[in-house]
Amino acid sequence: VYNVSSGTYTYTITCWNGSQSATDTVQAVVQGNTYTYLSVSKLARNISQNSSFLNSVNANQGDMVEFSIDVYTNGSGNAPATYVKDILPGYLDFIEGSVKVDGYTSPDTLLSSGLYLGDLYQGSHKQIKFSAYVMSGLPVGTNVLTNSSRAWASSISEVSDTAEVVVTIQGTNPTATISSQKTVRDTNDLNTPSGIYLEDVNTVPGRVLEFSIVVTGTGGTASTDVMVHDTLPAGLTYIAGSTTVDGSVAGDGIIAGGINIGTLNPGQSKTVKFRSTVRENTYFTSFVTKLINTVTVKGSNNTLAATDTANIWVSKSGRVLGATDIDTGVDMSMLSALLASSFGALGFSGFQVGKKAYWRGKIAQLRKAA
């Protein structure tokens, strides 16, 4: 049946053979096509400022705002098993127990799995309201917080609408900065307590050094994804598995791509430690070698990196300066005494000494005194 208006139609059928006839009737009910769809309208108002419901409202941090969601059934049919759901943006804090449907308190599932509205009949309408607080901590500038609502029913397509809360923050955004402090200790030095770390340390080949890096968040806001990268100089060998962050074992990437120690709030510190071994005696060609160890620290939102250094003075044992034919066997205590007593007398620069006889006498005195 087509091109026929809706209604009830009666059809009569008559059969006749020339002498007799038979008649019967049939009724046909023609219905129009059934088409049902939903529509949703979303508005907001500032309760703290007693504003009206609008598509976009202004608010301050700490204000209470209210949202209105109107769901309509349109067309010629019903909307079975209708749901509505709200997606609240960041910086809006939902007030539990504030959901109402047509003025009646309803479950808070509106913001999770969705709020069940039941079967909505042709031309019906439901109004849902709920409230939220504008949270603090918004960045400087104009912040548009967009709240979205969705409605759907069984075999009926989903529809949605949005409303905005505009929060303007005056001032200047705080910057995130970071600092680092690099120190070192000789773990084999029994004369220095284990908790004492220095910017400069004297050592000899083969010893184990422990480095300490204190990283501190500074500035007005947190530093995020803070990377710590250490550059070991030639003459030091990293000890695998020795890196810790605040005492917890970390990965071995500190001398490669660096390690991520996470977020540092202003004033918060984390301590990174690791160990290395001083190369063997034959590696060093000078009587005293200065090694500079450098750390670089930078967060993903830091404009500038922070760097610091620690100095390691390695004294080669077995030979003294140019006296290649004198086997001294000098150790750290003897070396310290030797340097302390000789600097002023010789007035040398860079440990350049010309008289072998002088060294023979000094070494003999030190050995005798020891």
Side-chain angles (χ1 to χ4, degrees):
V1 178
Y2 58 93
N3 292 332
V4 177
S5 301
S6 300
T8 301
Y9 296 85
T10 301
Y11 295 90
T12 301
I13 301 174
T14 301
C15 297
W16 182 66
N17 63 1
S19 60
Q20 293 180 333
S21 65
T23 301
D24 199 3
T25 60
V26 62
Q27 284 188 334
V29 179
V30 179
Q31 295 180 338
N33 292 331
T34 300
Y35 177 63
T36 304
Y37 63 96
L38 296 174
S39 62
V40 61
S41 175
K42 181 70 176 284
L43 299 172
R45 74 183 184 100
N46 189 325
I47 295 177
S48 299
Q49 298 181 17
N50 195 30
S51 74
S52 302
F53 277 106
L54 300 168
N55 288 322
S56 179
V57 295
N58 295 317
N60 298 317
Q61 295 179 115
D63 282 357
M64 180 188 292
V65 293
E66 184 179 40
F67 294 96
S68 172
I69 311 165
D70 290 278
V71 180
Y72 300 90
T73 305
N74 306 288
S76 56
N78 303 327
T82 303
Y83 283 84
V84 62
K85 182 177 181 178
D86 195 89
I87 298 92
L88 205 61
Y91 293 103
L92 288 181
D93 186 19
F94 170 69
I95 299 176
E96 295 183 359
S98 65
V99 177
K100 292 185 177 181
V101 177
D102 292 338
Y104 294 95
T105 300
S106 299
D108 289 341
T109 55
L110 174 68
L111 276 78
S112 55
S113 59
L115 179 62
Y116 180 64
L117 300 178
D119 297 334
L120 299 188
Y121 297 102
Q122 178 184 1
S124 63
H125 159 244
K126 292 284 186 181
Q127 185 178 68
I128 303 94
K129 291 183 178 180
F130 71 94
S131 301
Y133 285 111
V134 180
M135 300 171 64
S136 60
L138 284 158
V140 172
T142 300
N143 301 273
V144 180
L145 310 179
T146 303
N147 180 226
S148 176
S149 293
R150 301 186 291 121
W152 69 93
S154 178
S155 302
I156 296 178
S157 299
E158 179 181 289
V159 292
S160 64
D161 196 17
T162 60
E164 296 176 346
V165 176
V166 180
V167 185
T168 302
I169 306 297
Q170 304 294 335
T172 303
N173 280 320
T175 57
T177 55
I178 204 163
S179 68
S180 63
Q181 182 183 27
K182 181 70 176 286
T183 51
V184 62
R185 73 182 183 94
D186 184 339
T187 63
N188 302 111
D189 184 1
L190 301 180
N191 296 319
T192 303
S194 61
I196 302 299
Y197 293 82
L198 304 170
E199 293 182 354
D200 289 76
V201 69
N202 295 316
T203 190
V204 294
R207 288 196 171 180
V208 174
L209 305 178
E210 184 173 67
F211 293 92
S212 173
I213 307 164
V214 179
V215 185
T216 303
T218 56
T221 189
S223 295
T224 56
D225 291 323
V226 177
M227 296 295 297
V228 180
H229 176 257
D230 196 274
T231 304
L232 272 184
L236 298 181
T237 303
Y238 173 76
I239 298 177
S242 66
T243 301
T244 62
V245 178
D246 286 342
S248 298
V249 176
D252 282 333
I254 191 166
I255 64 170
I259 60 172
N260 190 324
I261 63 172
T263 297
L264 286 177
N265 293 314
Q268 180 185 4
S269 296
K270 291 186 179 181
T271 301
V272 180
K273 293 183 180 181
F274 71 92
R275 293 189 173 194
S276 68
T277 304
V278 183
R279 290 286 299 269
E280 67 279 3
N281 193 61
T282 56
Y283 175 83
F284 298 95
T285 58
S286 300
F287 178 52
V288 176
T289 302
K290 180 183 179 181
L291 305 179
I292 301 176
N293 179 230
T294 303
V295 64
T296 302
V297 179
K298 190 175 187 296
S300 61
N301 60 336
N302 296 143
T303 302
L304 300 175
T307 61
D308 198 17
T309 60
N311 300 320
I312 303 94
W313 300 86
V314 182
S315 300
K316 184 175 181 179
S317 61
R319 302 284 177 179
V320 177
L321 302 179
T324 57
D325 57 342
I326 303 175
D327 187 0
T328 66
V330 65
D331 60 16
M332 284 302 293
S333 60
M334 294 174 66
L335 176 64
S336 298
L338 179 62
L339 295 178
S341 63
S342 302
F343 264 80
L346 295 176
F348 60 90
S349 174
F351 301 104
Q352 300 301 315
V353 178
K355 295 183 178 180
K356 296 181 180 179
Y358 177 84
W359 285 109
R360 291 192 186 97
K362 277 293 181 183
I363 294 169
Q365 291 176 16
L366 289 169
R367 283 179 170 169
K368 185 176 181 180

